[in-house]
Amino acid sequence: ILIEKEIDIDKKIFKQTTLNNYIYKIISKENRSYLNLINIWAEKNKYLFNIERAVCMIKFEKNENWDMYKTTEYIINKMQYLKYFYKQDIVSYLGNRQFIIIKSFNDKERIDKKSVLKKFFISLQKEIDDRLNLKFSTVCGAIVNSLNDIPESYEQANFLLNYTEFKNNAIYFIEDYILEFLILTNKANSKMILKNSLNIINRSSLFKETITAMSKYDMNINKACKNLSAHRNTIIYRMKKIKEILGLDPINNHKDRIKFYILSIILNDKN
């Protein structure tokens, strides 16, 4: 019996490794180099790549009771019975407590695709929380409709996985972080353009915390005051100094507000 179990585990590992090899080819920016192999595999498994898909990833919180084989098997099997799971969905465990779902959509459903993703992952979260007591968050890249664009959707999902804070039951969409993505994936240019402002801000921790708080709370002075435990007049004074020294008036000028947000993103970048 033990030998049979070991053989069964070996088969599952081999199947998982094979699937991951093809997934890595699909999400690679050089996936055109593997086009023949991908097409043969897709035809064999009846997968289509001329349909709309989004690359989504889920990451589980560290847990001492984590059993990779049991958890992976349970999640992949359970997904197939959830509403909004479709036969074209490609699901796999990538390691490091991360799953990838190259999600497909049913055009017959009269519901927008972002809502489909939300409903699907909310039902998965409920199922896993109830049965396994495991916590995870979800990230989703853009919806694309060709094999060539799947690597871009993956890059966006992977960016969110590293950028956003882990929150149980949280679902993050790249469209809600488009500014952060565009800036931080081209950080060198952003820093070069704003070099003068950044040099001035980095000399004053008060400037940095004020820019961060005001950006976080959409230029709401009262909320920024509460966040910083500062008097309203203090924040107003700091904003006047920022206007005087940096030439930025984000409360009254739309372009300055965008620049303010960009500065905040760069100043708080963890990498």
Side-chain angles (χ1 to χ4, degrees), residues 1 33 47 54 65-66 94 98 110 117 169 204 222 239 253:
I1 295 172
S33 304
Y47 288 129
N65 299 320
W66 174 268
L94 297 180
Q98 295 177 24
R110 293 187 176 181
L117 292 171
N169 296 340
S204 171
N222 291 334
M239 291 300 290
N253 187 291

Side-chain angles (χ1 to χ4, degrees), residues 41-258:
W41 174 81
E43 187 176 348
K44 181 181 177 182
N45 292 278
K46 298 181 180 179
Y47 288 129
L48 303 172
F49 287 107
N50 60 345
I51 60 174
E52 289 191 311
R53 292 180 177 276
V55 176
C56 301
M57 300 175 75
I58 60 177
K59 184 163 187 176
F60 284 84
E61 192 176 37
K62 285 183 180 178
N63 190 304
E64 292 179 359
N65 299 320
W66 174 268
D67 185 317
M68 184 185 75
Y69 298 111
K70 287 184 180 178
T71 306
T72 300
E73 190 172 12
Y74 177 84
I75 290 171
I76 291 175
N77 288 337
K78 183 53 67 176
M79 272 189 190
Q80 297 175 35
Y81 297 98
L82 296 176
K83 188 177 182 182
Y84 301 117
F85 179 89
Y86 306 119
K87 290 181 179 179
Q88 287 293 321
D89 291 354
I90 303 171
V91 184
S92 189
Y93 177 65
L94 297 180
N96 194 29
R97 308 186 314 282
Q98 295 177 24
F99 284 79
I100 186 169
I101 303 98
I102 304 179
K103 192 80 184 70
S104 63
F105 302 92
N106 184 349
D107 290 333
K108 293 179 182 178
E109 297 280 359
R110 293 187 176 181
I111 181 171
D112 75 276
K113 293 174 176 63
K114 187 174 180 180
S115 294
V116 167
L117 292 171
K118 275 186 178 179
K119 290 175 183 292
F120 175 77
F121 287 110
I122 286 171
S123 60
L124 180 63
Q125 286 166 343
K126 186 177 185 309
E127 185 67 38
I128 291 173
D129 202 28
D130 289 346
R131 301 280 179 166
L132 302 179
N133 195 29
L134 293 174
K135 303 184 184 302
F136 71 88
S137 62
T138 306
V139 296
C140 296
I143 296 167
V144 298
N145 59 6
S146 75
L147 180 62
N148 291 341
D149 293 332
I150 286 179
E152 304 300 328
S153 185
Y154 168 72
E155 182 187 12
Q156 295 156 8
N158 197 47
F159 167 82
L160 287 175
L161 203 64
N162 293 296
Y163 180 78
T164 55
E165 293 181 13
F166 180 93
K167 289 182 181 178
N168 185 39
N169 296 340
I171 304 173
Y172 300 102
F173 294 93
I174 192 63
E175 64 188 72
D176 299 322
Y177 291 85
I178 185 169
L179 195 60
E180 291 87 342
F181 176 75
L182 293 174
I183 293 162
L184 295 178
T185 52
N186 194 11
K187 191 162 51 177
N189 267 340
S190 301
K191 282 187 171 182
M192 180 175 66
I193 293 166
L194 296 169
K195 183 179 179 180
N196 185 54
S197 295
L198 288 167
N199 285 340
I200 295 169
I201 295 164
N202 284 326
R203 295 190 205 119
S204 171
S205 60
L206 294 179
F207 273 13
K208 180 180 177 179
E209 71 173 28
T210 304
I211 289 169
T212 299
M214 289 293 286
S215 297
K216 183 177 180 180
Y217 295 105
D218 294 326
M219 303 302 140
N220 186 308
I221 292 176
N222 291 334
K223 288 183 178 179
C225 290
K226 188 175 180 181
N227 177 258
L228 297 175
S229 300
H231 193 276
R232 179 181 172 85
N233 289 342
T234 302
I235 300 300
I236 291 173
Y237 173 77
R238 289 185 193 175
M239 291 300 290
K240 284 182 180 178
K241 294 300 289 183
I242 286 171
K243 182 180 179 181
E244 179 186 318
I245 296 170
L246 296 177
L248 296 175
D249 184 13
I251 293 176
N252 300 305
N253 187 291
H254 178 63
K255 287 185 177 180
D256 285 352
R257 192 175 306 130
I258 293 172

